[in-house]
Amino acid sequence: MTFRRSAVVLGVFGIVVVAVGALFEPVVSPMVSKLPSNTDMTVHYSGTANLIDQAAVAKGDLLGAFKNNQPLTLDRRIHVTATDGDTAIVADDQTLTIAGTPMPDNHVYALNRKTLEAGPAPAGKTADPASGIPIGWPLSPDPQGDYRYYDPTTQTSSDFTFTGDASVKGRSALTFHSSSAANPVKDKTLLATLPQALPKSVAQALAASPLPILPKEAQALLTPDVVAALPDTIPLTYTATTVADGAADKRVGFPIQQHLQQKVILNVALPGQPPVALMPVLTTDLTLTPDSQQYLVDKAKTTATELTLVKLVIPIAVVALGVLLLVVAFLRRNPKAQPLTPAVEGGPVAPAPGRTEPREGGSASGEEGDDDSAPAGSAEDGSAQTAED
């Protein structure tokens, strides 16, 4: 059976288009379902801080040393600086500003581009020794997923617990909560801002103060005899506790809601005793600003639309186009009908155009016997004959 050439071309092209549509999602989707190499986002937090004025402490002004409800902001830029296969090197540049004093603190993570979990840096790269998820949840987070919040202050991670569903500015979200025990502070930038030793005179003033400055447990341990046995310069250590509450966009995992609370606690080592927590020296309470929350919600909408196009709309449209081409090819499969061929020699001869069939009794040449027309010159001959007669 023969087919029209155009039908064959359309059929082949249709099969190719259907194959492309069928392979589009499994081939392209993995590439768009991981942290893009051009990621660059800046968000802002605001809140309050309670802190101890070290200068006031050095002067013995314990009452004036405690600064509560100081304005606090955090500017945070997260951007990918390099990629190596499924690993992205991500810079997390933070500037904490307390009462107008900025405190820059930058971190670098090696993240799995699909799970966003921190891991070792690839060869030739350096990154913080992080674990868990430092910047946010992966695509389509699982309510029962094993997610851990990474705290750069202590360089530890604690379990995230799913707490329910929520709606944030029209986006469906999953809410999570994490709370860590006190762990030693390891952030070098923060440690550089904290005193590493306490004069004995300050410890004596704290122990003897009638103000409820120290926790009851610490006050009970700092007896006059214990304080008298302390060295003139008392080494200090610091621990921190962190509480993190967040909402992850159900579709793309963006942290569209965040509330972070942290306490940095001063500890002293008493003779023959484990370190004792004396008091918080820095307490921060931060929440995403409304503008940053809207920014993340808008980015979540855009990313979700792009994923829908790649995973659903484009593959369906391409397959539909391929099927349409195959249908057209099927409808055009039969070749055009050939025109009638002239009769072969010896067969009946069709009359020439403008000629009529001779009637009975007509001349062999096909002229009618009683036709008024005559051969050339016959009219003149007849007229001459009549004249002679």
Side-chain angles (χ1 to χ4, degrees), residues 41-309:
M41 299 189 299
T42 299
V43 293
H44 308 281
Y45 303 75
S46 63
T48 59
N50 299 334
L51 67 154
I52 294 179
D53 186 341
Q54 299 177 28
V57 171
K59 294 176 181 179
D61 182 11
L62 299 181
L63 187 60
F66 293 88
K67 307 291 185 181
N68 295 328
N69 297 319
Q70 299 297 298
L72 174 68
T73 62
L74 173 64
D75 301 320
R76 187 180 186 188
R77 181 191 176 199
I78 298 171
H79 56 112
V80 174
T81 60
T83 58
D84 186 347
D86 285 337
T87 300
I89 304 300
V90 180
D92 187 358
D93 301 334
Q94 303 184 18
T95 300
L96 188 70
T97 303
I98 303 176
T101 302
M103 299 169 54
D105 191 11
N106 300 330
H107 303 276
V108 178
Y109 306 118
L111 303 183
N112 183 294
R113 298 177 68 185
K114 296 180 180 178
T115 66
L116 299 189
E117 292 185 352
K125 304 292 183 181
T126 57
D128 292 5
S131 59
I133 52 173
I135 66 171
W137 291 267
L139 290 175
S140 302
D142 182 1
Q144 307 305 321
D146 184 18
Y147 304 122
R148 296 178 63 82
Y149 170 75
Y150 175 73
D151 173 28
T153 300
T154 60
Q155 297 182 2
T156 60
S157 57
S158 53
D159 289 337
F160 258 129
T161 303
F162 172 66
T163 56
D165 296 303
S167 177
V168 180
K169 292 186 177 294
R171 296 292 299 176
S172 297
L174 306 174
T175 57
F176 293 90
H177 171 82
S178 176
S179 180
S180 71
N183 292 296
V185 174
K186 295 182 179 180
D187 188 313
K188 294 180 179 179
T189 302
L190 177 59
L191 287 173
T193 67
L194 300 173
Q196 301 302 304
L198 183 71
K200 182 177 181 177
S201 59
V202 174
Q204 291 173 328
L206 287 171
S209 175
L211 299 174
I213 297 175
L214 299 179
K216 292 181 179 181
E217 297 80 2
Q219 192 83 36
L221 290 173
L222 290 176
T223 64
D225 292 339
V226 170
V227 173
L230 293 174
D232 292 338
T233 302
I234 307 169
L236 302 177
T237 61
Y238 296 91
T239 55
T241 62
T242 302
V243 176
D245 291 284
D249 185 273
K250 273 189 177 182
R251 184 71 177 87
V252 298
F254 280 19
I256 55 179
Q257 192 175 69
Q258 284 184 292
H259 182 202
L260 306 175
Q261 298 170 289
Q262 190 169 74
K263 286 184 179 180
V264 178
I265 303 165
L266 180 148
N267 301 265
V268 297
L270 300 177
Q273 299 283 344
V276 175
L278 284 188
M279 72 184 82
V281 294
L282 177 62
T283 301
T284 58
D285 190 318
L286 288 164
T287 305
L288 269 175
T289 64
D291 287 345
S292 289
Q293 189 177 65
Q294 187 63 57
Y295 165 76
L296 290 171
V297 166
D298 291 341
K299 287 193 71 68
K301 290 179 181 178
T302 301
T303 303
T305 299
E306 293 172 351
L307 289 173
T308 301
L309 287 173

Side-chain angles (χ1 to χ4, degrees), residues 13-43:
F13 191 59
I15 292 173
V16 172
V17 172
V18 169
V20 170
L23 295 174
F24 189 88
E25 196 277 336
V27 172
V28 178
S29 180
M31 293 187 288
V32 299
S33 297
K34 57 186 179 182
L35 187 67
S37 59
N38 62 347
T39 297
D40 192 340
M41 299 189 299
T42 299
V43 293

